[in-house]
Amino acid sequence: IRRPPRSTPKPSSAASDVYKRQVFTTITFIILVSTSLLAEIKKPSPDIKPEDVIKIQLSSLMKNNEPYLNAGIEQTWEFAHPSNRAFTGPLQRFTKMMYAPSYAVMLDHSKHDILEVKLDNNTAYFFIELTSSDGKMFGFKWTLEKVMEDGMFKDCWMTTAVSTPMPLSTSS
């Protein structure tokens, strides 16, 4: 005995499945585009002042894993002077260095203050007071230089050196 075909499609028909996939794909695309827009890394520019370079770097390290894992380290790396990059190596090696005990205190720190020490035409010296995520205070000497060589970074202020942390005493 043969049954006549159904006149209404089942809820899980092929057309319904295609529609569900289109909606899912659209939502996924919107999420990915939104995340990539939020994750835009600031690039060195001759318009960025030395103190602002440090603000960008420290603010990023303060929220290292936002909007993605090690975004703060990547942002900091963007402003590493070419001579510093030659010393620290590629981003992967720089990331490893940032997780070493001497620099890990910068990751997800709770507070920082930037104090200008000396600024001339091509070099800037700052002292950074930083409070780590566990409440300990550290000081860092932070040096920037203006890139003089021709190329994509010409006339940009970029970090050439950061000292190892110096424990700072706290008043009781």
Side-chain angles (χ1 to χ4, degrees), residues 62-128:
M62 189 178 217
K63 297 178 180 183
N64 183 50
N65 293 322
E66 292 179 24
Y68 56 87
L69 185 67
N70 295 323
I73 293 172
E74 184 177 340
Q75 178 63 78
T76 300
W77 169 251
E78 275 301 315
F79 284 90
H81 193 283
S83 65
N84 191 4
R85 290 180 184 202
F87 175 75
T88 61
L91 177 59
Q92 295 78 3
R93 188 168 155 203
F94 182 75
T95 300
K96 241 186 217 181
M97 182 188 78
M98 289 302 297
Y99 277 98
S102 56
Y103 292 108
V105 297
M106 290 184 188
L107 303 177
D108 303 312
H109 66 275
S110 61
K111 181 182 177 209
H112 59 262
D113 291 307
I114 302 168
L115 308 166
E116 183 179 306
V117 175
K118 183 180 176 191
L119 177 63
D120 64 32
N121 289 337
N122 299 318
T123 309
Y125 300 94
F126 292 86
F127 187 78
I128 309 304

Side-chain angles (χ1 to χ4, degrees), residues 6 8-21:
R6 283 182 75 149
T8 58
K10 293 181 185 175
S12 63
S13 71
S16 176
D17 288 343
V18 168
Y19 175 75
K20 287 177 190 174
R21 271 183 289 198

Side-chain angles (χ1 to χ4, degrees), residues 2-64:
R2 268 179 61 145
R3 291 192 177 153
R6 283 182 75 149
S7 58
T8 58
K10 293 181 185 175
S12 63
S13 71
S16 176
D17 288 343
V18 168
Y19 175 75
K20 287 177 190 174
R21 271 183 289 198
Q22 287 174 337
V23 169
F24 176 78
T25 302
T26 302
I27 291 171
T28 303
F29 177 77
I30 290 169
I31 290 170
L32 290 174
V33 168
S34 300
T35 303
S36 69
L37 290 175
L38 291 173
E40 190 164 321
I41 297 289
K42 292 181 176 117
K43 302 288 186 185
S45 161
D47 300 328
I48 302 175
K49 294 180 170 109
E51 185 172 347
D52 293 332
V53 168
I54 298 174
K55 284 179 184 177
I56 290 167
Q57 291 177 310
L58 287 173
S59 296
S60 297
L61 292 172
M62 189 178 217
K63 297 178 180 183
N64 183 50

